[in-house]
Amino acid sequence: MHHTTYVRAGSTDDAVARMADGGQLLAGGMTLIPTMKQRLASPETLVDLAGCGLAGIEDEGDSIRIGAMTRHADVAGSDLVQTAVPALAALAGGIGDRQVRNRGTIGGSVANNDPSACYPAAVLGLGGTVHTNKRDIAADDFFTGMFETALDEDEMITAVSFPKTGKAAYVKFPNPASRYAMVGVFVASGADGTRLAVTGAGSDGVFRHADMEAALDASFSADSLDGIAVDADEMISDIHASGDYRAHLVREIAKRAVAAC
Amino acid sequence: MTMVNLTLNGKQVSADVPDNTLLVTFIRETMGLTGTHVGCDTSQCGACVVHVDGESQKSCTMLAAAAEGASVTTIEGIANGDSLHPMQQAFHENHGLQCGFCTPGMVMSAIELVQDNPNPSEAEIREGLEGNICRCTGYHNIVKSVQAGAKMMGG
Ligand SMILES: Cc1cc2nc3c(=O)[nH]c(=O)nc-3n(C[C@H](O)[C@H](O)[C@H](O)COP(=O)(O)OP(=O)(O)OC[C@H]3O[C@@H](n4cnc5c(N)ncnc54)[C@H](O)[C@@H]3O)c2cc1C
Ligand code: FES
Ligand code: FES
């Protein structure tokens, strides 16, 4: 690992100021530290967010708000999340392994927008909102491509909120070694219709599948997805799975997610 | 450089280390406790698992500076004098190891698992040890060890 300077931010404002000076935010480090060890990242300054008071889950009536530094284990184990959005608690409980969940955070996961990460599918599938130090960003505007988001250079996530819904499910076909999604589908059926988000598969990162959503709006059943085309050319093709295989998995996993609702 | 002060196996320790020092490097090289192992570069193998304030953490994926003020327990810190921790004893009795490389991490993960769930099923044990990789045993005897360890710990 290259040399770096470690600082602890005392507040969101402090963290943002240090970011403006070129610092890189450190949340759980479960992505950033392995990346630094492989020398794929070499930030001069690491700004630890642990002391910024950004962990915690709040009930906001129709929605829940999860602080950026809330760890996966705390989302999975929260009574509030288990009652208000059970599919989200289950998703968090299926991320990586126990130690990853004891340290990784929702803010780090959403900011990173790894094409195989689980949380982006929940944010997009539930139509959540990403709160930053500057503004609120709707899920549909937030994820802009593989590892790309709408965040500005000097902008950090402070919280993510999700509408309460019982009719939702996430099903993941995990890579057996890393537990990341080879394909993961989050489906939710709410007042505004069905939203279906796919992670792990798309070469532009997480995406919604409009044809599947329309078919499910017409009839919310797994059978409605039979015969719906998934374009293999838009899928990731790598050592783990070809684009064709991923395209096939997207429809099958989507059917399982609908059946699990 | 950063001055890191923490409690290691019940003893107060301090050292001035480069900011990029991983917790596992601090434990192994600065403090000379080599029971905690490093088996990978990708945060996947779990050979480095220790407890930080009672929770299992991969010490290869955490900076020593981030453990400032914390209480860290390693495999060296769990026995009571000459008598092994019940989970260590269970691994010993059930042949839960072959080369032993993964064992410190397995034991530390297993202790936390049983503290959270005193009577885990086989499936829960396998799920709970997903972050620990063993290239020798095929896991079967590890699961048996954790079941026995859970009983000995009072579950
Ligand atoms: C073995 C292993 C298995 C895993 N399996 C899965 C899996 O199955 N599913 C899954 O979804 N993920 C998985 N992960 C990733 C894990 O969920 C990470 O915790 C997560 O992607 C990053 O969160 P973090 O808190 O660790 O962020 P960090 O690594 O600290 O940061 C990641 C990036 O986000 C930036 N950042 C952090 N916080 C903020 C913020 N508040 N605002 C703006 N930018 C910020 C950082 O600067 C950095 O660029 C796995 C990781 C490992 C090591
Ligand atoms: S050394 Fe492999 S997970 Fe830490
Ligand atoms: S006993 Fe050799 S790696 Fe597990």
Side-chain angles (χ1 to χ4, degrees):
Chain A
M1 205 195 290
H2 288 290
H3 184 70
T4 188
T5 301
Y6 171 88
V7 295
R8 270 172 193 256
S11 64
T12 301
D13 288 347
D14 184 19
V16 170
R18 290 175 189 275
M19 239 171 133
D21 291 341
Q24 178 156 12
L25 302 182
L26 174 67
M30 295 308 298
T31 293
L32 185 51
I33 291 181
T35 313
M36 288 174 68
K37 288 203 277 188
Q38 289 157 37
R39 300 196 167 195
L40 296 170
S42 49
E44 270 177 33
T45 308
L46 281 179
V47 183
D48 192 337
L49 299 179
C52 292
L54 290 174
I57 306 170
E58 283 163 46
D59 191 336
E60 301 208 305
D62 291 340
S63 63
I64 55 169
R65 183 184 173 105
I66 304 181
M69 287 297 287
T70 312
R71 304 172 311 164
H72 309 328
D74 296 325
V75 173
S78 153
D79 289 340
L80 174 58
V81 183
Q82 283 171 9
T83 320
V85 198
L88 184 64
L91 174 146
I95 292 178
D97 54 54
R98 211 178 162 84
Q99 290 75 33
V100 169
R101 297 192 291 273
N102 275 348
R103 204 154 181 84
T105 68
I106 188 168
S109 176
V110 171
N112 200 46
N113 193 17
D114 187 301
S116 304
C118 301
Y119 267 127
V123 178
L124 194 60
L126 286 164
T129 305
V130 179
H131 306 282
T132 77
N133 57 307
K134 293 183 181 176
R135 55 187 169 144
D136 298 334
I137 309 174
D140 285 319
D141 302 324
F142 185 80
F143 302 104
T144 54
M146 195 184 267
F147 294 111
E148 298 285 339
T149 68
L151 290 174
D152 292 336
E153 292 278 300
D154 60 343
E155 188 171 22
M156 68 176 263
I157 298 177
T158 53
V160 185
S161 51
F162 298 90
K164 291 185 180 174
T165 173
K167 200 168 176 191
Y170 177 67
V171 174
K172 159 163 90 163
F173 189 92
N175 176 307
S178 73
R179 324 307 296 170
Y180 272 101
M182 295 251 289
V183 168
V185 175
F186 198 103
V187 64
S189 166
D192 302 330
T194 304
R195 295 176 66 103
L196 184 145
V198 180
T199 188
S203 44
D204 285 331
V206 66
F207 66 94
R208 288 172 67 186
H209 200 288
D211 290 349
M212 289 195 191
E213 290 180 355
L216 292 169
D217 276 337
S219 163
F220 195 85
S221 77
D223 295 344
S224 311
L225 301 181
D226 280 334
I228 291 190
V230 179
D231 190 349
D233 291 339
E234 289 175 7
M235 299 289 117
I236 300 170
S237 206
D238 61 16
I239 52 166
H240 304 301
S242 66
D244 281 333
Y245 182 52
R246 276 199 171 82
H248 175 78
L249 276 181
V250 168
R251 195 173 50 239
E252 289 309 312
I253 299 299
K255 289 175 68 170
R256 288 184 205 176
V258 171
C261 272
Chain B
M1 301 290 276
T2 296
M3 190 57 140
V4 176
N5 309 281
L6 49 82
T7 308
L8 185 58
N9 297 330
K11 270 197 290 226
Q12 199 61 43
V13 300
S14 307
D16 201 21
V17 294
D19 289 19
N20 64 357
T21 305
L22 297 169
L23 179 59
V24 71
T25 313
F26 183 88
I27 292 169
R28 286 177 56 85
E29 294 175 20
T30 313
M31 295 297 147
L33 294 182
T34 54
T36 303
H37 293 164
V38 177
C40 74
D41 270 339
T42 50
S43 308
Q44 282 174 309
C45 77
C48 63
V49 170
V50 300
H51 292 183
V52 179
D53 292 331
E55 290 181 333
S56 71
Q57 297 278 355
K58 290 178 174 171
S59 61
C60 73
T61 314
M62 181 173 174
L63 294 173
E68 173 68 28
S71 174
V72 177
T73 307
T74 69
I75 191 74
E76 289 93 342
I78 59 172
N80 184 3
D82 283 341
S83 51
L84 293 177
H85 185 282
M87 191 59 76
Q88 289 174 303
Q89 188 67 32
F91 270 69
H92 174 67
E93 287 171 8
N94 291 279
H95 198 57
L97 56 144
Q98 289 179 23
C99 79
F101 194 85
C102 69
T103 314
M106 286 287 178
V107 170
M108 297 311 283
S109 292
I111 291 173
E112 188 205 43
L113 170 69
V114 172
Q115 279 166 352
D116 282 1
N117 178 0
N119 197 2
S121 67
E122 178 183 340
E124 286 167 339
I125 293 171
R126 288 186 186 274
E127 200 279 331
L129 294 179
E130 220 144 51
N132 295 80
I133 294 175
C134 174
R135 64 186 298 173
C136 302
T137 62
Y139 301 97
H140 188 71
N141 284 357
I142 291 178
V143 175
K144 249 173 70 184
S145 303
V146 178
Q147 281 168 326
K151 285 212 183 71
M152 288 159 73
M153 282 171 70

